């Protein structure tokens, strides 16, 4: 992986604060942790499930 690209996005400030703290606690670089998550996701090692409300749930 010689070619590196910048990746900029916005995230919830509290999530970022907790993520930074946990990375620091474990002595990990945030970009490496994020890259490892991205690799795992791209390789199908885990997935993110979106829940769409049913018509009944929308009416509540």
């Amino acid at each position: 992986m010689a070619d590196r690209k910048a990746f900029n996005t916005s995230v919830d400030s509290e999530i970022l604060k907790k993520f930074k703290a946990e990375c620091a606690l474990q002595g990990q670089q945030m970009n490496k942790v994020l890259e490892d998550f991205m690799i795992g996701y791209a390789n199908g090692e885990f997935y993110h499930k979106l829940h769409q409300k049913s018509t009944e749930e929308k009416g509540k």
Side-chain angles (χ1 to χ4, degrees), residues 23-34:
C23 286
L25 183 67
Q26 294 191 29
Q28 298 290 324
Q29 295 179 350
M30 290 190 325
N31 64 320
K32 179 63 177 147
V33 173
L34 289 171

Side-chain angles (χ1 to χ4, degrees), residues 49-58:
K49 182 178 179 181
L50 295 175
H51 174 75
Q52 184 175 7
K53 289 184 173 183
S54 68
T55 305
E56 295 154 359
E57 289 175 311
K58 289 179 185 176

Side-chain angles (χ1 to χ4, degrees), residues 4 7 18 21 23-24 32 34-36 38-39 53 56:
R4 310 288 297 173
F7 177 74
K18 291 176 183 179
C23 286
K32 179 63 177 147
L34 289 171
E35 191 171 85
D36 288 345
M38 292 169 80
I39 290 168
K53 289 184 173 183
E56 295 154 359

